[in-house]
Amino acid sequence: MSETVRGLPAHELRAHFEDDLLSFETTASLEGEAGRVVGQERAIDAIKFGMGMKTSGYNIFIAGPAKAGLTYTARTYIEEQAAKEETPPDWCYVYNFKEQDKPRCLKISAGRGKALKKDMNDFIDTLQAKIPEVFDSDDYRAKESEVHQAFEKQRRDFIDELSQEARDQGFILQFSQVGMVIIPANKEGEPMTQEDLRHLGEEERLELRGKSDELHERMKETIKKIRVVENEFKEKHTKLDNEIALFVVGQLMDSYEEKYHDDQQVLDHLKEVQEDVLENIDDFKKKPEAQQQMPGQPGAPFSGPPKEMTLRKYDVNVLVDNSETKGAPVVIESNPAYPNLFGSIERQAWFGALFTDHTMIKPGSLHKANGGYLVMKALDLLKWFISYEALKRALRDKEIRIEDLGELYGIFSTRTIRPEPIPIDVKIVLTGDPHIYQLLFSYDDRFQKLFKVKAHMSDQMDKKPDKILECSKMIGRYCNEHQIKHLDRTGVARVLEYSVELTEDRDKLSLEFGTVADLLREANYFAGIEGSELVSRRHVDEAIHKRIYRSNLIEERVKEIMEKDIIWVETEGEKVGQVNGLAVLMAGDHVFGKPNRITATVSVGREGMVSIDRESKMSGSTHTKGLMILSSLFRGRFAHNKPIAFSASVCFEQSYGMIDGDSASSTEYYVLVSAISETPLKQGIAVTGSVSQKGEVQPIGGVNYKINGFFDICKTKGLNGEQGVMIPHKNVNNLMLDQEVVDAVAQGKFHIWPVATVEEGQKILTGVEAGVVEADGTYPQGTIYRRVDDRLKEISEIVRKFGKESEDGAGKKEEENGGGCPSCGH
């Protein structure tokens, strides 16, 4: 191989890290120093700003690639910062004694919600135990008897007075089922019969009727007095009961009021509870009747749950309990369906009917994250359109409403409770692809107002010494957290090399933590099989090779077909108008490079260059653009001093699917120049790189896949020391080749040639100088471009001569036909 075509040295084909990791032996020695978030300074700064802005609307959208660990980074950093913030209060739902279908929400100091619930349960249990005892006591019975006897004495006095007055008037006061009755009496004091009344004279009857009317008026007055006394008795009895009950209730309430003196809402609720208990003290005097008519029986309308369940109105439903929360809560919601996000109202069956109350209200993620942070994937949220719209409404109104979906959308109108909305103070953190952010920002005007902070995460970071150490610490932390084997220095180095392979840039490290984490777990598995205490380079290598093996069946089939020359790829010798191009194929989770023969033919004509793939509509727009640039370059090199005329066709041989991209435009240029100049090209060299109108070979993607793919084919067909790949010079920094390729280059069996211009590429492919245009517009003798120039002049002359002869022949024939049509003579 001549000096001018020497390839890159092996040490420039792959990055190594052992020398950067001399500060430790294993990741176990880094324990306690590991960082959680590495390389996302820009995103972290935005998240920090969003967390600090307490004004509404400054919710956060973390945009970045799916494998960049968006949710992990958000959760990790936010949890660290949220732990330093104040713990938010608990939230409870209690019975509304004024509007029974509208449970009230209580805001109570953090951790005291459970205490309030327990205190209320103890309170009711104590009342149920003590009140029956108090009302069964001798003291209460004596006081009750005193009140009752006083009432009975007054009632008897009124009745005795009325009875005496009736006797004085010759009447008798009797009692029946309908009440008191005044009837006339005879001289013996017995009730008069109808016979006695007929024997009375007219005046006696009139006198008797007058006395009767007067006594009835007196009886009405007496009844009124008795009713007044009865009401007074009831009031005194109720007052007595309240005094007795208040003695028990008051003692308990005094201790609770003192305990919750700094929670005004709780004090207000305790006051209402006390008033309701005193109003319904009979519920505590005795147990509910064992037998009662069950709902659903004929003539028994449903009246709700049984009597003993009425005491549930005193229960406290602790909706949000922050007793175990340190700092502000951070909630990750993976399924943001409406009930999961906003809570729900459950129902309980009772003899064929459904009922509910404040104790059946269940919280959603928004309740749990209130006062803190709620993290969700944007795509998961958008799948639940109802949840997305309701979330925007909640953020706008600054309150959380628990509503029944069926009732909300009018599907059914079953009567239910309507809990009081809870004020919301939560920071929403959405994670997702940048395209989702752009779509929402462009088409949802409310999104712009609600998510004013965009944290853009990268999938790679600069490969600096401090970042290398931080990544090593992260690996150590991951091993500790997931209880897998630690890595030695060689294992860490190989993981970092794999990280560089993912970025295809030797100056970058990948931030696709999910992919790297999978590799750590898989390497741990192979280390475990071997019985090794530490994960080393060979275990990581085996994990990578096994991962590829599980997915590369299609690649193996392609190699097999090429080995059998079913798909024809030559790796030896020289040929005119033929060269090996390189393409990248994606088979789901596996990407690999594949060589492809590109051929060109040239003939006399004026059609110019034609791409068979484009004409057959089997190429994309980017490929078409590359061909147009190639044509422009060709004209610039050879039509600078003369018009040119030729016909040429370029084709990707044995290509049966769509092709796209401009990475083969330089390859097509080489094969076209070869076909015109009749200069053979080395078939052991594959070519990739796009070309500019100025002849510059521009960088392309997938360079490592392409080189590794061609190397595998050459290895299969036999390495001869003359084979290799020609790549754009600006892709040198992207090289992270397989170690097998690096070793082959070190041994001189394979080569990598970087080129900056197509002229450099011509020299490598042919061994002949391309040539530089001289002052007179020609190229030096013996150069490839001189051969092309001469051949184009020859073709142009043939075309000119053929065209002139055609014109002369057509004119002569026209004269013979008397000026008629040359073809028909008319």
Side-chain angles (χ1 to χ4, degrees):
M1 193 69 62
S2 64
E3 193 70 26
T4 56
V5 293
R6 179 172 296 171
L8 290 170
H11 66 83
E12 292 190 32
L13 305 181
R14 185 174 181 85
H16 297 279
F17 287 87
E18 277 84 351
D19 294 340
D20 298 309
L21 305 175
L22 297 177
S23 60
F24 66 93
E25 290 295 330
T26 72
T27 53
S29 62
L30 299 173
E31 185 176 356
E33 304 177 19
R36 282 185 173 271
V37 180
V38 179
Q40 299 291 0
E41 288 77 10
R42 180 190 301 272
I44 293 302
D45 183 72
I47 296 172
K48 183 178 180 181
F49 170 75
M51 294 178 68
M53 290 295 295
K54 301 304 180 182
T55 310
S56 62
Y58 283 85
N59 297 291
I60 305 168
F61 192 105
I62 302 178
K67 294 184 178 180
L70 305 181
T71 303
Y72 171 81
T73 301
R75 181 187 65 194
T76 300
Y77 179 77
I78 292 174
E79 282 179 349
E80 289 180 353
Q81 301 304 312
K84 305 173 186 176
E85 299 182 12
E86 183 181 355
T87 303
D90 291 349
W91 286 95
C92 306
Y93 269 113
V94 295
Y95 186 75
N96 190 336
F97 295 98
K98 296 179 180 178
E99 297 181 83
Q100 299 179 6
D101 62 338
K102 297 181 180 179
R104 290 177 51 202
C105 62
L106 289 186
K107 178 182 177 182
I108 186 171
S109 303
R112 304 186 74 182
K114 288 199 304 186
L116 177 61
K117 178 179 178 64
K118 182 178 183 303
D119 288 341
M120 289 304 301
N121 290 338
D122 293 344
F123 173 69
I124 297 302
D125 291 342
T126 302
L127 291 183
Q128 287 183 298
K130 285 191 173 183
I131 286 182
E133 293 178 0
V134 171
F135 282 96
D136 285 340
S137 66
D138 294 338
D139 183 54
Y140 171 76
R141 292 185 181 279
K143 292 180 179 180
E144 183 187 33
S145 177
E146 181 181 344
V147 173
H148 189 269
Q149 288 175 2
F151 164 68
E152 287 296 330
K153 182 178 181 304
Q154 285 182 299
R155 190 168 69 89
R156 283 196 303 270
D157 290 344
F158 290 139
I159 293 174
D160 290 345
E161 183 181 350
L162 178 62
S163 178
Q164 184 61 44
E165 186 175 352
R167 283 196 298 271
D168 293 344
Q169 296 294 332
F171 286 82
I172 298 175
L173 180 64
Q174 290 186 342
F175 295 89
S176 66
Q177 293 180 348
V178 297
M180 292 185 294
V181 179
I182 296 177
I183 57 176
N186 56 26
K187 293 179 180 181
E188 287 78 19
E190 299 294 331
M192 295 182 67
T193 63
Q194 292 295 327
E195 186 66 26
D196 294 335
L197 290 174
R198 282 198 297 270
H199 286 88
L200 294 176
E202 185 64 27
E203 291 182 2
E204 289 178 326
R205 282 199 296 270
L206 291 174
E207 182 182 359
L208 189 63
R209 185 177 294 112
K211 291 179 180 180
S212 176
D213 293 341
E214 183 179 346
L215 287 173
H216 275 87
E217 291 296 325
R218 290 286 295 120
M219 185 177 65
K220 291 179 181 179
E221 293 176 2
T222 300
I223 292 174
K224 288 180 180 179
K225 291 179 181 180
I226 292 174
R227 287 176 178 171
V228 170
V229 172
E230 285 180 347
N231 291 334
E232 292 176 353
F233 165 72
K234 290 179 181 178
E235 290 176 0
K236 290 179 180 180
H237 195 275
T238 300
K239 183 179 179 181
L240 175 62
D241 287 354
N242 288 345
E243 289 176 353
I244 298 298
L246 186 59
F247 175 75
V248 178
V249 175
Q251 285 183 331
L252 298 174
M253 280 299 179
D254 288 343
S255 62
Y256 296 146
E257 289 175 358
E258 181 179 354
K259 182 177 181 179
Y260 299 101
H261 69 278
D262 54 347
D263 288 305
Q264 187 57 46
Q265 286 187 324
V266 176
L267 294 178
D268 294 339
H269 177 66
L270 292 177
K271 183 178 179 181
E272 292 181 355
V273 169
Q274 178 174 317
E275 293 174 355
D276 189 77
V277 168
L278 295 178
E279 290 177 5
N280 299 279
I281 197 65
D282 290 340
D283 292 341
F284 296 90
K285 288 182 178 180
K286 58 182 178 179
K287 296 181 180 180
E289 296 179 6
Q291 298 293 330
Q292 57 179 324
Q293 193 175 22
M294 292 297 176
Q297 293 180 355
F302 177 73
S303 58
K307 185 176 180 181
E308 60 268 17
M309 295 183 68
T310 59
L311 297 181
R312 285 174 58 167
K313 64 183 176 181
Y314 303 114
D315 287 350
V316 175
N317 180 5
V318 183
L319 196 73
V320 179
D321 175 26
N322 286 316
S323 59
E324 303 296 330
T325 304
K326 306 299 181 184
V330 180
V331 178
I332 311 295
E333 180 53 71
S334 59
N335 181 27
Y338 186 90
N340 295 346
L341 207 57
F342 289 88
S344 59
I345 302 173
E346 296 181 346
R347 292 174 173 82
Q348 183 175 341
W350 179 253
F351 289 95
L354 296 176
F355 76 94
T356 186
D357 58 23
H358 68 284
T359 64
M360 300 186 193
I361 302 173
K362 301 302 177 183
S365 299
L366 275 174
H367 297 96
K368 299 173 184 177
N370 201 7
Y373 305 88
L374 176 59
V375 183
M376 296 179 287
K377 291 183 179 179
L379 190 58
D380 290 341
L381 178 61
L382 293 175
K383 290 177 182 177
W384 299 95
F385 177 74
I386 295 174
S387 299
Y388 178 59
E389 289 299 316
L391 177 62
K392 292 190 293 183
R393 185 166 56 250
L395 294 175
R396 181 195 63 196
D397 299 338
K398 298 180 181 179
E399 63 181 21
I400 312 172
R401 290 184 176 272
I402 302 179
E403 299 177 293
D404 191 291
L405 276 179
E407 184 178 6
L408 183 63
Y409 286 89
I411 299 175
F412 54 84
S413 57
T414 304
R415 183 179 177 183
T416 184
I417 56 177
R418 301 176 185 275
E420 180 183 1
I422 293 179
I424 188 174
D425 178 23
V426 66
K427 189 76 69 175
I428 304 297
V429 181
L430 295 181
T431 64
D433 191 273
H435 297 298
I436 295 179
Y437 177 86
Q438 293 299 332
L439 288 173
L440 292 174
F441 189 87
S442 300
Y443 296 103
D444 188 345
D445 56 341
R446 280 196 287 172
F447 177 83
Q448 304 175 22
K449 299 174 183 178
L450 295 174
F451 291 87
K452 297 180 180 180
V453 180
K454 179 184 179 183
H456 208 149
M457 290 182 62
S458 176
D459 60 351
Q460 57 186 20
M461 65 178 175
D462 294 335
K463 191 191 73 175
K464 297 179 179 179
D466 59 327
K467 299 299 182 185
I468 292 174
L469 183 58
E470 286 186 31
C471 286
S472 302
K473 291 179 179 180
M474 280 197 66
I475 293 173
R477 173 181 285 277
Y478 185 86
C479 293
N480 289 329
E481 291 181 348
H482 293 80
Q483 298 181 349
I484 62 176
K485 299 179 186 296
H486 280 277
L487 284 71
D488 64 15
R489 186 187 302 138
T490 64
V492 175
R494 184 62 184 95
V495 171
L496 294 178
E497 290 171 15
Y498 180 74
S499 176
V500 174
E501 291 174 11
L502 293 176
T503 65
E504 292 191 272
D505 190 334
R506 290 210 302 266
D507 293 333
K508 299 289 184 180
L509 289 170
S510 174
L511 292 176
E512 294 184 4
F513 297 125
T515 305
V516 175
D518 291 342
L519 179 62
L520 293 175
R521 287 191 291 266
E522 293 167 16
N524 174 75
Y525 169 78
F526 290 110
I529 292 177
E530 190 179 284
S532 176
E533 293 184 2
L534 296 172
V535 176
S536 63
R537 172 179 287 273
R538 67 179 182 276
H539 303 128
V540 180
D541 275 332
E542 186 172 6
I544 294 173
H545 293 154
K546 289 295 185 180
R547 178 181 291 184
I548 295 173
Y549 177 75
R550 292 192 297 269
S551 304
N552 72 340
L553 179 62
I554 295 177
E555 180 183 9
E556 293 298 325
R557 290 290 182 267
V558 171
K559 290 179 183 178
E560 181 182 344
I561 293 173
M562 289 184 175
E563 184 180 358
K564 295 178 179 179
D565 285 336
I566 297 174
I567 294 181
W568 188 8
V569 174
E570 298 189 43
T571 59
E572 293 181 345
E574 297 180 348
K575 276 197 173 183
V576 173
Q578 178 176 300
V579 71
N580 288 320
L582 296 171
V584 175
L585 301 182
M586 300 183 68
D589 60 340
H590 184 61
V591 182
F592 62 96
K594 168 183 172 295
N596 206 116
R597 277 190 309 135
I598 300 177
T599 60
T601 59
V602 178
S603 60
V604 174
R606 292 189 177 129
E607 288 81 5
M609 187 187 70
V610 174
S611 169
I612 294 176
D613 300 285
R614 183 177 64 180
E615 294 300 316
S616 60
K617 297 181 180 181
M618 295 179 67
S619 65
S621 56
T622 307
H623 178 255
T624 300
K625 178 185 177 183
L627 289 173
M628 296 175 70
I629 293 174
L630 187 158
S631 300
S632 177
L633 168 63
F634 193 84
R635 289 193 300 270
R637 290 289 189 270
F638 304 109
H640 57 283
N641 59 356
K642 61 185 178 303
I644 57 176
F646 71 100
S647 293
S649 61
V650 179
C651 176
F652 281 74
E653 300 291 350
Q654 293 183 290
S655 174
Y656 306 106
M658 286 292 295
I659 61 173
D660 202 2
D662 61 353
S663 65
S665 56
S666 66
T667 314
E668 291 168 314
Y669 178 80
Y670 297 136
V671 76
L672 178 63
V673 170
S674 170
I676 296 175
S677 66
E678 298 183 349
T679 303
L681 301 175
K682 298 175 182 179
Q683 299 302 294
I685 300 176
V687 181
T688 185
S690 68
V691 70
S692 72
Q693 293 188 97
K694 301 296 184 181
E696 302 151 332
V697 180
Q698 301 170 138
I700 44 81
V703 64
N704 294 300
Y705 296 116
K706 293 177 179 180
I707 295 174
N708 291 334
F710 187 67
F711 173 81
D712 289 341
I713 297 300
C714 291
K715 183 180 68 172
T716 301
K717 290 179 174 286
L719 295 171
N720 58 17
E722 301 292 326
Q723 297 147 333
V725 178
M726 194 165 66
I727 65 171
H729 179 76
K730 292 186 180 294
N731 276 122
V732 170
N733 204 52
N734 301 115
L735 293 177
M736 195 66 187
L737 300 176
D738 289 348
Q739 190 60 47
E740 186 179 10
V741 181
V742 176
D743 294 340
V745 171
Q747 297 168 12
K749 297 180 180 180
F750 199 73
H751 306 276
I752 308 297
W753 293 282
V755 295
T757 64
V758 290
E759 284 73 27
E760 293 179 20
Q762 293 285 3
K763 172 68 175 176
I764 295 172
L765 283 169
T766 63
V768 181
E769 294 288 344
V772 180
V773 66
E774 297 180 335
D776 60 355
T778 63
Y779 290 98
Q781 286 289 342
T783 62
I784 295 178
Y785 283 176
R786 181 58 179 262
R787 299 176 188 175
V788 174
D789 206 31
D790 292 345
R791 176 59 177 158
L792 288 175
K793 289 178 181 178
E794 180 182 346
I795 293 175
S796 297
E797 181 64 25
I798 294 173
V799 171
R800 185 189 64 77
K801 182 179 179 181
F802 179 78
K804 183 177 180 181
E805 291 178 354
S806 297
E807 291 176 0
D808 292 344
K812 184 177 181 181
K813 189 172 183 179
E814 184 178 354
E815 291 177 0
E816 294 175 354
N817 292 327
C821 175
S823 59
C824 63
H826 294 104

